[in-house]
Amino acid sequence: MKMVTVLGARPQFIKACMLSRLLQDDDNINEIIVHTGQHYDKNMSDVFFTQLQLPAPDYNLGAGSGSHGKQTAAMMVHLEEVINTEKPDLVLVYGDTNSTLAGSLAASKLHVPVAHVEAGLRSFNKRMPEEINRVVTDHLSTILFAPSQAAVDHLAREGISDGVYQTGDIMYDAVLHYKEKAFHQSDILERLQLEAKDYYLATVHRAENTDEPNRLKNIVKAFQQLDKKVVFPLHPRTKRALEKGNEGTNSNILFIEPLNYLDMLVMESQAKTIFTDSGGIQKEAYMLRTPCITLRKETEWAETVREKWNTLLDPADLSEWRKAVADVNIPHSYPPLFGDGNAAGQIYRIVNNLPFAMS
Ligand code: UD1
């Protein structure tokens, strides 16, 4: 079995590490790793390959940044070449980024079956590029690895039930695998002079929050009024937007560079509360039992809201801000929303047992 795995953005490196380890150890599987180059800064890409011991990509397509059309098209042109050269039996994609979409489009047009890890997620907001990417990818995929029952149900509602496997969430595997190591190796709390549970952690990178100056201004203003230090690792897009608006220099916000995975796990688990618009960080907050406030109107991870570990807060309307922060507490119940931490093992077994030539 020869397969091409398409990666490109930071969360995909984290998702891939646990599965690639199993695939690369199997002599009967030849996994070719393709990095689209969507994320290219050292601290957005290389550091994850090193820290998570991901094999170096066989191809780096260098697609870089650009409008959605330009970026996705650049990836597709090169992916088509790679697929034509390698002639894989399967193309595996993760999540909902433009790299995911480019991989699934290029492969399916060349009649190569697509396997989608993290299938079936829905925010029901088509203004998000990620929603478009995931809906299209799911409809092009032959094998769909759904992290939760809700994801399986979403697919069923769209008429997709063949080839769907509920495996649990592969990010949970990574959290369980790396948590102890993070506590042993990371000195991030000392470096930033922070006490456990005495700071907030914030990440903001969604276009809907960064590309609307007033919204970002509101968020920063609200952070400035919080009762504890807010540590805010800046995604490059957010950094640029903040520089344009000359935001927040003299405050209790500590702007820092993007964090590596182990430092991030420690920062997430020791924060009093996490503020984020990231999908992955909402999940990691739950996995590490830290309450989360999501700076969006809706979420793909509705289970975490239902279980009261996560609260939605619309950044356009921050009148609810104080109340939301004051209302945060740690729920007693903690159901296993993301499986048993062995999603990679399940996916590996399923991939390994696929009939060689699939239609
Ligand atoms: C992408 C994904 C998003 C995911 C996120 C994780 C899409 C549509 N979005 O968003 O779903 O949650 O990755 O981080 O695929 N940039 C750099 N250096 C880098 C990477 C990006 O400077 O290494 C800058 C570029 O100028 C770019 C901007 O950040 O214009 C946005 O990057 P892009 O990859 O387009 O999307 P993300 O916002 O990272």
Side-chain angles (χ1 to χ4, degrees):
M1 147 85 78
K2 190 180 203 182
M3 57 190 286
V4 161
T5 293
V6 179
L7 306 175
R10 185 167 55 175
Q12 289 162 336
F13 312 139
I14 298 166
K15 286 170 193 160
C17 74
M18 301 300 288
L19 178 58
S20 277
R21 194 163 299 161
L22 300 174
L23 296 170
Q24 301 268 338
D25 278 352
D26 186 331
D27 291 341
N28 294 318
I29 298 181
N30 178 9
E31 186 198 30
I32 313 278
I33 296 185
V34 179
H35 188 328
T36 62
Q38 178 169 357
H39 285 177
Y40 45 84
D41 285 352
K42 238 190 165 81
N43 58 14
M44 298 287 287
S45 175
D46 294 8
V47 68
F48 292 90
F49 278 82
T50 315
Q51 199 168 60
L52 305 174
Q53 291 161 301
L54 257 174
D58 298 279
Y59 293 86
N60 193 323
L61 308 182
S65 306
S67 67
H68 287 279
K70 260 195 196 148
Q71 187 183 52
T72 312
M75 293 173 192
M76 283 184 68
V77 169
H78 295 301
L79 279 165
E80 199 171 61
E81 287 165 7
V82 172
I83 295 168
N84 277 329
T85 306
E86 298 289 348
K87 304 197 181 344
D89 301 298
L90 184 72
V91 168
L92 185 96
V93 296
Y94 289 90
D96 56 17
T97 71
N98 288 345
S99 299
T100 317
L101 178 68
S104 58
L105 276 170
S108 54
K109 292 216 166 184
L110 292 171
H111 312 298
V112 177
V114 175
H116 184 202
V117 178
E118 210 179 73
L121 273 290
R122 296 292 180 266
S123 66
F124 303 101
N125 175 2
K126 287 232 174 76
R127 291 185 62 86
M128 290 176 70
E130 292 84 359
E131 182 76 353
I132 298 166
N133 294 343
R134 49 174 99 95
V135 169
V136 174
T137 297
D138 283 342
H139 283 262
L140 295 176
S141 295
T142 306
I143 312 288
L144 300 98
F145 298 114
S148 62
Q149 184 58 49
V152 173
D153 295 343
H154 291 150
L155 292 170
R157 246 174 264 135
E158 293 173 26
I160 305 174
S161 53
D162 286 351
V164 175
Y165 300 89
Q166 187 180 338
T167 57
D169 197 299
I170 202 159
M171 285 183 86
Y172 190 34
D173 297 22
V175 166
L176 294 179
H177 185 83
Y178 283 104
K179 199 166 67 170
E180 290 307 313
K181 193 172 182 185
F183 278 104
H184 281 112
Q185 291 191 1
S186 166
D187 60 354
I188 186 74
L189 293 183
E190 292 86 50
R191 268 191 285 137
L192 300 181
Q193 299 184 318
L194 299 166
E195 295 292 333
K197 301 293 163 188
D198 196 35
Y199 64 90
Y200 297 112
L201 177 67
T203 80
V204 176
H205 77 277
R206 295 266 172 213
E208 69 206 51
N209 284 332
T210 57
D211 298 0
E212 167 58 62
N214 273 339
R215 200 178 271 237
L216 193 56
K217 229 182 233 168
N218 265 351
I219 293 173
V220 170
K221 217 190 270 162
F223 287 162
Q224 283 168 341
Q225 288 163 16
L226 286 175
D227 58 321
K228 292 187 189 303
K229 188 172 269 183
V230 179
V231 183
F232 193 166
L234 285 178
H235 184 285
R237 173 207 287 282
T238 318
K239 187 173 185 183
R240 247 195 342 255
L242 286 172
E243 279 163 1
K244 257 195 241 156
N246 294 321
E247 298 300 339
T249 39
N250 60 337
S251 66
N252 66 329
I253 305 178
L254 182 59
F255 292 110
I256 58 173
E257 291 295 309
L259 290 171
N260 66 48
Y261 186 59
L262 297 185
D263 286 345
M264 192 62 180
L265 285 181
V266 170
M267 287 297 290
E268 287 171 318
S269 74
Q270 298 305 306
K272 183 164 169 32
T273 302
I274 296 174
F275 296 87
T276 192
D277 59 6
S278 150
I281 292 173
Q282 290 173 59
K283 280 191 290 182
E284 285 173 350
Y286 186 82
M287 293 167 189
L288 294 162
R289 300 179 187 238
T290 302
C292 182
I293 293 183
T294 294
L295 301 170
R296 286 173 49 194
K297 277 193 280 196
E298 77 285 301
T299 176
E300 306 74 40
W301 305 105
E303 310 84 330
T304 59
V305 175
R306 196 185 58 227
E307 295 299 332
K308 301 195 165 44
W309 283 84
N310 190 5
T311 308
L312 295 177
L313 184 63
D314 179 358
D317 173 19
L318 289 174
S319 57
E320 294 293 310
W321 187 267
R322 273 173 205 280
K323 186 173 163 3
V325 175
D327 283 354
V328 167
N329 53 37
I330 298 183
H332 294 300
S333 97
Y334 184 74
L337 300 182
F338 297 110
D340 61 2
N342 190 26
Q346 290 195 53
I347 294 170
Y348 165 69
R349 271 191 298 280
I350 294 161
V351 166
N352 210 7
N353 287 320
L354 288 174
F356 189 70
M358 293 182 300
S359 56

